Amino acid sequence: MAEPVPPKVLEPVRLYARIAQMWVRASLAYPASFWTMTVGAFVVTALDFVGVWILFGTVDGLGGFGLREVALLYGATGIGIGVADLLIGSVEQIGQHVRTGALDVMLVRPVPLIVQVCADRFQLRRLGRIAQAVVVLGYGLGAVEWTAARAVVAVVMVLTAGVIFFCLFVIFACVQFWTTDASELANAFTYGSNTLTQYPLTLFPGELVKSLTFVLPVAFVNWYPCLYLLGRDDPFGLPDWLQLAGPVPALLLCGVTALAWRAGVRHYESTGS
């Protein structure tokens, strides 16, 4: 019989949920504004894929991939960054907390700093972006000839995508412990990585693909697992086992994230120092 999860492990999750619930109540106090922003996020992000759909009106393929196959890539990375942005997108505001002195206040509270920073100003309206990605992914899944193994890989792909983007948000937000006005640098890697992985990597040079595999492993967000789902060999000649290796770089990135966060918090002294 499995042992119950220790209360201390679940405590940060409980605290995060309570802070997020407070912000959800605040946003729902103005329901018209909430639904307008949520639907607006859905529509605005949907326009990205509408552009891809229009492009396929003039071409038969994009980097050797059809519309449904591109939708598979687009939807997987969209869900990954959407979930990460919903749960911890506020971590990008570390620089602002440092400048205003709010981080000093957070440090003296009996709640883990990472929980406070990530749950601060929780925005439920970001569900609109996730919903749009789910719709596109649902369309793209029609390109897959399903087996039990591919179903498992599809689920692992979505989870891995969320973890990788979670780590990227935190790692590059930590730069703001040293330079408080570097949010655009973080966006270049987080949202920039999302933009790259929305399309087949066959559109880019092989050197870039290798760097996205072995340096900043965003190719594991969707590219390699989608190759497996579609039954394709790697166009760049890289080993086929990479198609199933996504959880490994995700776990390694979690370790790097923990180290980066610890180093950033230790470096920080006080707004007045």
Side-chain angles (χ1 to χ4, degrees):
M1 184 176 180
E3 295 183 0
V5 179
K8 288 185 178 181
V9 176
L10 296 177
E11 184 65 11
V13 177
R14 186 184 68 82
L15 293 171
Y16 174 93
R18 292 189 65 178
I19 297 173
Q21 183 182 31
M22 176 188 68
W23 288 107
V24 170
R25 284 183 177 181
S27 62
L28 292 180
Y30 303 93
S33 175
F34 170 77
W35 286 111
T36 299
M37 297 295 290
T38 302
V39 174
F42 180 95
V43 173
V44 169
T45 52
L47 291 176
D48 285 341
F49 191 73
V50 169
V52 176
W53 177 72
I54 293 174
L55 178 62
F56 271 88
T58 57
V59 299
D60 296 327
L62 192 62
F65 287 72
L67 179 59
R68 279 187 177 268
E69 294 170 325
V70 173
L72 186 66
L73 293 165
Y74 181 103
T77 187
I79 292 175
I81 195 170
V83 171
D85 191 31
L86 172 68
L87 296 179
I88 65 157
S90 297
V91 76
E92 293 180 316
Q93 303 302 317
I94 285 179
Q96 180 179 344
H97 294 323
V98 170
R99 291 192 300 273
T100 61
L103 200 66
D104 290 354
V105 177
M106 292 180 177
L107 284 168
V108 299
R109 291 173 181 163
V111 179
L113 180 62
I114 186 69
V115 171
Q116 295 183 71
V117 171
C118 291
D120 185 54
R121 300 189 180 277
F122 181 88
Q123 298 182 34
L124 191 62
R125 62 180 174 80
R126 289 171 175 165
L127 283 174
R129 177 178 190 164
I130 300 174
Q132 180 266 346
V134 169
V135 171
V136 176
L137 180 63
Y139 173 72
L141 291 175
V144 180
E145 295 182 7
W146 290 101
T147 63
R150 285 176 177 171
V152 172
V153 170
V155 173
V156 173
M157 172 181 67
V158 174
L159 295 175
T160 300
V163 171
I164 290 176
F165 278 116
F166 180 104
C167 293
L168 293 182
F169 269 109
V170 177
I171 289 173
F172 291 105
C174 286
V175 175
Q176 297 179 72
F177 281 115
W178 285 269
T179 170
T180 58
D181 192 17
S183 58
E184 292 304 319
L185 172 65
N187 290 341
F189 285 95
T190 52
Y191 296 104
S193 295
N194 174 57
T195 301
L196 279 174
T197 52
Q198 285 177 345
Y199 304 98
L201 294 187
T202 46
L203 295 173
F204 307 106
E207 292 76 11
L208 176 61
V209 175
K210 290 179 180 178
S211 67
L212 296 178
T213 300
F214 302 110
V215 180
L216 188 69
V218 295
F220 292 97
V221 165
N222 61 350
W223 174 246
Y224 289 115
C226 281
L227 289 179
Y228 180 84
L229 294 178
L230 298 171
R232 288 173 173 259
D233 294 327
D234 192 293
F236 299 97
L238 294 173
D240 289 340
W241 57 263
L242 288 173
Q243 298 177 8
L244 301 175
V248 176
L251 289 174
L252 292 174
L253 206 55
C254 285
V256 174
T257 302
L259 292 174
W261 178 259
R262 186 176 181 181
V265 174
R266 284 190 170 186
H267 171 80
Y268 179 76
E269 295 180 356
S270 175
T271 300
S273 62

